[in-house]
Amino acid sequence: MRILNLIFLSLFFIQCSSDDNSNNNNNNDPNDPNPTNLPKLVAFEVGPNGTNVQYEYNDNDLLEVWTETTQPGVGFEITTAYNDELNPNVWYYVDSDGVSDQKGFFYDFQGRVFRYLDAQDDVTLIYDNDTVLFEGIIDEVADVSGSMTLNAAGKVTRFNGPNQYLTFDYDTSGNMIALNQYDNNDNLINNYSFTYDNKNNPFYGQFDTLYLVRTIDLFWDFSNINFTGFSGYVYPYNPNNMTAILLDGMTMVNYLIGYDNDDYPAVISEAVSGNSYQWDIIYITE
């Protein structure tokens, strides 16, 4: 059973607005891997069918405890421990069935993850200028290897997996706006594109040193969109809020956002396949 990766996919929602991203009001430099102006901190997310998510932060406003309940008595909790440099070094996981695991992260002298492991993973990262190689065990599959190409901002522009490769495009704010999936014969399989508003993503700015780890976890065996720009802390690396997902130019999902007085998302309605789902976001107030 996949534990620490699958639970990050359980909170799967996005948001939409009629705003475009031409006037980004995010004060963070999208090229800064350690943004100083963290968004408002999310305390709770209340979702459909009894889903409730609670977040707790340490004295440095870094996410420490993530507790998610999908129905009474069913859920999980993740606790993050940080090292002296305030980088995550262990994720502790336990669910309502008593299943537990922990994921450890090891850093080089430049503050980059060079190895991570848990019960199903043991992955080594090797840095070579704008290329990052990875190899090891992923999801209990042995002898996996691949590589990532980075742009000047440190964003992955190409991901070479075992049986395919992906390319990524970004806007000037650093939002992922396109994901192209190819087989190893350069045949395009799928073209995904994403649109955004021009408001702050409240989840952006956490787990920044784990960007490449999360990218490997989500894309090494990519088959469909299993992340979103506003899916909590699953992949918190887009400065703005995603408003739509398109596949080969056709809209798959639209999302409508209601904002609070500070222009942060407060109510998100997801419209997909004729159904609509609502999430309410509650922020920490001083």
Side-chain angles (χ1 to χ4, degrees):
M1 177 178 60
R2 187 71 185 135
I3 300 176
L4 281 175
N5 285 341
L6 287 180
I7 51 88
F8 279 104
L9 303 180
S10 63
L11 183 59
F12 186 82
F13 72 96
I14 338 175
Q15 73 288 356
C16 174
S17 162
S18 60
D19 295 326
D20 60 30
N21 58 0
S22 59
N23 296 300
N24 184 0
N25 71 344
N26 193 309
N27 293 322
N28 291 319
D29 179 354
N31 297 327
D32 184 356
N34 297 289
T36 56
N37 295 315
L38 291 177
K40 291 173 66 172
L41 298 177
V42 178
F44 295 95
E45 296 177 81
V46 181
N49 304 318
T51 299
N52 189 294
V53 189
Q54 179 178 359
Y55 302 109
E56 300 174 39
Y57 304 83
N58 63 19
D59 292 340
N60 295 293
D61 290 341
L62 298 173
L63 180 63
E64 189 169 47
V65 182
W66 168 351
T67 305
E68 181 165 339
T69 303
T70 55
Q71 55 182 298
V74 178
F76 63 83
E77 181 172 281
I78 302 170
T79 301
T80 302
Y82 293 84
N83 61 21
D84 291 341
E85 288 72 38
L86 302 181
N87 294 324
N89 62 353
V90 183
W91 276 338
Y92 298 98
Y93 167 82
V94 62
D95 67 18
S96 51
D97 293 326
V99 177
S100 63
D101 194 6
Q102 61 185 45
K103 190 167 194 159
F105 308 99
F106 301 88
Y107 297 84
D108 63 18
F109 289 114
Q110 297 184 51
R112 305 173 303 188
V113 175
F114 71 85
R115 186 186 180 193
Y116 66 93
L117 72 159
D118 59 22
Q120 287 82 33
D121 298 318
D122 188 351
V123 180
T124 299
L125 287 75
I126 303 167
Y127 296 84
D128 183 14
N129 297 318
D130 63 352
T131 300
V132 182
L133 309 176
F134 62 89
E135 58 187 20
I137 303 169
I138 305 179
D139 293 352
E140 298 186 319
V141 178
D143 300 322
V144 176
S145 64
S147 65
M148 296 171 284
T149 302
L150 311 182
N151 63 16
K155 295 280 191 177
V156 174
T157 58
R158 176 165 172 146
F159 188 101
N160 296 306
N163 302 306
Q164 62 182 354
Y165 69 91
L166 311 172
T167 63
F168 303 88
D169 296 322
Y170 303 88
D171 63 18
T172 56
S173 297
N175 296 301
M176 183 194 299
I177 57 173
L179 187 166
N180 298 300
Q181 180 185 17
Y182 296 88
D183 65 24
N184 285 333
N185 293 316
D186 299 325
N187 297 308
L188 180 64
I189 301 172
N190 289 306
N191 163 245
Y192 297 94
S193 56
F194 314 96
T195 62
Y196 298 81
D197 65 8
N198 62 353
K199 306 296 194 297
N200 289 316
N201 177 352
F203 298 98
Y204 178 71
Q206 300 278 349
F207 296 151
D208 54 276
T209 58
L210 302 184
Y211 167 65
L212 295 180
V213 173
R214 297 301 299 135
T215 299
I216 294 171
D217 284 346
L218 292 176
F219 297 117
W220 80 275
D221 192 28
F222 177 81
S223 60
N224 52 55
I225 295 297
N226 55 1
F227 75 98
T228 61
F230 200 140
S231 50
Y233 292 111
V234 172
Y235 198 70
Y237 304 114
N238 293 309
N240 301 123
N241 303 298
M242 194 178 290
T243 57
I245 299 177
L246 296 87
L247 173 61
D248 298 327
M250 301 294 293
T251 301
M252 297 172 57
V253 190
N254 272 321
Y255 304 85
L256 178 65
I257 312 173
Y259 300 93
D260 65 14
N261 291 334
D262 297 316
D263 278 342
Y264 281 84
V267 180
I268 301 93
S269 295
E270 173 187 7
V272 55
S273 302
N275 298 311
S276 180
Y277 307 94
Q278 178 172 314
W279 291 81
D280 298 303
I281 300 180
I282 302 169
Y283 295 93
I284 294 175
T285 57
E286 301 292 347

